[in-house]
Amino acid sequence: MAGGAILLVDDDDAIRVVVAQALRRAGHNVRTASSIADLDRELAAGRPDVLLTDVVLPDGDGIDVTERLSRELPNLPVIVLSARNTLTTAVRANEAGAYDYLPKPFDLETLTRTVAAALARRRELAPRSEDGEDASLPLIGRSPAMQEVYRVIARVVSNDLTVLISGESGTGKELVARAIHDLGPRRSAPFVAINMAAIPRDLIEAELFGYERGAFTGAAQRTAGRFEQAAGGTLFLDEIGDMPIEAQTRLLRVLQSGEFTTVGGTRIMRADVRIVAATNRALQQAVANGQFREDLYYRLNVVPIDLPALRERREDIAILARHFLERAADAGLPRKVLDDDAVTSLAEHDWPGNVRQLENLMRRLAALSRDESISAGEIAAMLGQGGGQAVSLPADLGLEAAVRAFIERLARCDPRSLDDGTLYDRLLAEVERPLIEVMLARHGGNQLRAARAIGLNRNTLRKRLDTLGIDPAVRPPAPEAR
């Protein structure tokens, strides 16, 4: 492809030199500027084919310039470069009309490919709308993995494309769905979430589409379904992979036609909703196994967003932990800080329960830690990593005797824990995990049946699975009958 005229704006001399050399090697003609004033002078001298601009410039904001140029020069592709690697920056850049957003540090090959794509498709640019505020956004993280998530979110907020969010339990899939809703044109309409795994299979259609009085036993009055409740807004279908195959057929028809009828009704209603779905299952494998309709999978997977596990974005752990401590303090718990060793300890943990597990840990530490500064030892004790201090319940005793033995052994190896307010949580943690794992195995992984057998609400069990980092798809053998 023939080279283009590129204008690069950055107040960092080194970045200007390195980027300009890379683009010139790719065959482009590159001019540079170090401020908005220099940019305006260069624009007056000749319009470039592509503009690259930093955000923080000595005399203004590069995104504000992007917004102005998107009005004045609508066919000029603008690529925003920024060290402020937040979701707000990505969204602001796209809403201002930027062709793309690249967080610093960026790969020069990626930059070169982006410039080439901007040159080839510069007439497809479309201006975006108003700004957003960082404080109101739920997603936190500046790791490269989260930057990619931000870029995808920023590109879909202004349209109604269906989004499928994949990721392990506790990674924040609903937060992504809410961000897409809150930043888009449907923000003033309802955001309605439904957990497909928490609804009995014979009630899913009634929940989604509503029902008329007398439609079935117990239907005493007309009830609006989630599609109707979310009219004009966003419908979030969580755990879509657990949807029964027969209900998938009805959902597919609605997505294809954009219309539905209530259970027992005849009046056709328009499905004026944006669909965002989420799953922690490998849906492609479910399709191969005949557990999920292939046509529905492709209908949902228009824009895929793959959320990274927390262990894949370790550089975000410290900022997330401090954020959760601040939220705990705002909720009335004592204000705590993390010492350096505590931060290191958090970063080294694998976090099977992901961000939700980290948030719950920070809440417990805020409530139970006696000192203002949280130490690595306290974190290890809470996570059951206290070296020789971790104490398991003996397996060959009755439950009451096992509890007494647990406390006696704890008194010998970690006597402080008997007085620091953590004993109750530690004892429950020893019992709760095997209880849930065994009952899941006994009921073949069916969470609804396992919850009923234990005596828990299905949603409570799901929260405990997330907190404890238990993957319901990976189960120990069920106990043999004696």
Side-chain angles (χ1 to χ4, degrees):
M1 179 180 291
I6 312 299
L7 177 55
L8 168 65
V9 187
D10 199 301
D11 62 344
D12 188 310
D13 295 341
I15 290 179
R16 288 201 308 276
V17 170
V18 170
V19 171
Q21 287 179 346
L23 293 176
R24 285 169 182 145
R25 284 196 300 270
H28 303 297
N29 177 25
V30 183
R31 293 180 289 155
T32 63
S34 60
S35 66
I36 294 175
D38 289 345
L39 164 65
D40 289 337
R41 281 192 289 270
E42 291 292 338
L43 288 174
R47 175 182 166 182
D49 295 318
V50 177
L51 170 67
L52 286 76
T53 180
D54 192 14
V55 174
V56 181
L57 295 168
D59 51 353
D61 186 310
I63 294 180
D64 291 341
V65 172
T66 301
E67 187 172 13
R68 169 170 62 89
L69 293 179
S70 70
R71 295 190 303 268
E72 297 175 356
L73 303 171
N75 292 328
L76 172 63
V78 180
I79 299 171
V80 173
L81 317 173
S82 176
R84 289 187 171 179
N85 302 338
T86 65
L87 174 57
T88 293
T89 307
V91 171
R92 285 189 63 219
N94 279 268
E95 289 184 338
Y99 174 81
D100 208 343
Y101 159 77
L102 295 179
K104 296 178 181 180
F106 47 78
D107 182 77
L108 288 175
E109 291 186 6
T110 300
L111 175 66
T112 303
R113 288 195 300 269
T114 303
V115 169
L119 285 168
R121 298 181 294 170
R122 61 191 177 194
R123 295 191 182 276
E124 298 178 7
L125 294 175
R128 310 289 175 95
S129 59
E130 62 192 72
D131 191 12
E133 292 296 327
D134 214 12
S136 65
L137 297 177
L139 297 173
I140 293 175
R142 300 190 177 188
S143 60
M146 287 305 294
Q147 292 305 306
E148 185 59 31
V149 172
Y150 294 165
R151 292 179 69 194
V152 178
I153 292 174
R155 290 189 173 202
V156 301
V157 292
S158 63
N159 56 56
D160 271 348
L161 294 176
T162 302
V163 177
L164 178 62
I165 308 167
S166 303
E168 296 178 8
S169 293
T171 48
K173 296 185 286 294
E174 184 168 349
L175 295 180
V176 172
R178 286 188 176 275
I180 291 171
H181 173 79
D182 292 342
L183 295 167
R186 293 178 176 264
R187 63 174 68 91
S188 59
F191 175 91
V192 176
I194 180 171
N195 186 322
M196 308 308 296
I199 304 171
R201 58 194 306 125
D202 55 341
L203 294 180
I204 283 185
E205 289 196 20
E207 284 284 338
L208 284 174
F209 309 115
Y211 54 87
E212 301 296 324
R213 179 180 179 182
F216 50 83
T217 302
Q221 60 184 11
R222 184 189 186 279
T223 300
R226 303 304 174 92
F227 269 88
E228 192 174 345
Q229 294 169 15
T234 300
L235 179 59
F236 176 51
L237 304 175
D238 198 8
E239 297 196 31
I240 190 68
D242 293 321
M243 189 178 196
I245 195 77
E246 57 271 18
Q248 293 176 24
T249 302
R250 178 86 188 271
L251 176 61
L252 176 63
R253 287 200 301 268
V254 175
L255 296 183
Q256 288 175 332
S257 67
E259 298 175 339
F260 68 96
T261 58
T262 59
V263 176
T266 57
R267 183 167 62 94
I268 296 176
M269 304 179 69
R270 183 71 185 165
D272 179 21
V273 298
R274 179 182 194 157
I275 297 293
V276 179
T279 181
N280 60 10
R281 298 181 58 191
L283 283 191
Q284 287 180 307
Q285 186 61 48
V287 169
N289 296 338
Q291 299 171 330
F292 200 85
R293 291 187 60 121
E294 184 176 21
D295 43 8
L296 178 59
Y297 169 71
Y298 288 118
R299 179 69 65 171
L300 293 172
N301 196 40
V302 178
V303 179
I305 296 180
D306 189 14
L307 273 184
L310 188 54
R311 61 183 173 277
E312 297 168 354
R313 43 180 295 218
R314 294 184 186 274
E315 53 266 67
D316 291 335
I317 291 176
I319 189 172
L320 281 165
R322 293 187 176 105
H323 170 73
F324 293 140
L325 287 176
E326 285 296 318
R327 283 180 53 176
D330 292 341
L333 292 173
R335 190 171 297 277
K336 307 290 183 180
V337 295
L338 297 163
D339 67 24
D340 292 341
D341 290 339
V343 171
T344 301
S345 178
L346 291 173
E348 291 174 348
H349 188 61
D350 276 343
W351 301 106
N354 291 295
V355 177
R356 186 179 290 115
Q357 182 187 7
L358 175 63
E359 181 177 12
N360 290 337
L361 176 66
M362 292 300 104
R363 287 178 178 172
R364 289 201 302 274
L365 286 166
L368 302 176
S369 178
R370 293 183 298 183
D371 301 323
E372 180 181 351
S373 180
I374 297 170
S375 68
E378 289 177 288
I379 289 172
M382 287 281 188
L383 292 171
Q385 298 175 334
Q389 298 177 359
V391 183
S392 298
L393 290 173
D396 56 349
L397 297 176
L399 186 58
E400 181 179 350
V403 171
R404 294 183 185 278
F406 172 88
I407 295 173
E408 290 173 2
R409 193 173 303 175
L410 197 63
R412 291 195 301 271
C413 66
D414 188 13
R416 179 186 171 191
S417 64
L418 298 184
D419 302 307
D420 64 3
T422 65
L423 180 60
Y424 183 78
D425 284 339
R426 295 185 66 167
L427 179 59
L428 284 186
E430 294 286 344
V431 177
E432 188 176 25
R433 176 180 290 276
L435 168 65
I436 292 176
E437 289 179 340
V438 167
M439 295 309 290
L440 276 172
R442 180 180 178 87
H443 293 281
N446 186 298
Q447 297 178 38
L448 184 59
R449 291 202 299 266
R452 287 173 178 168
I454 296 170
L456 294 176
N457 176 275
R458 166 63 183 82
N459 289 334
T460 301
L461 176 62
R462 178 173 176 265
K463 289 177 182 177
R464 299 312 299 157
L465 291 173
D466 291 339
T467 299
L468 296 170
I470 298 174
D471 185 350
V474 180
R475 301 184 297 275
E480 296 181 0
R482 294 181 182 272

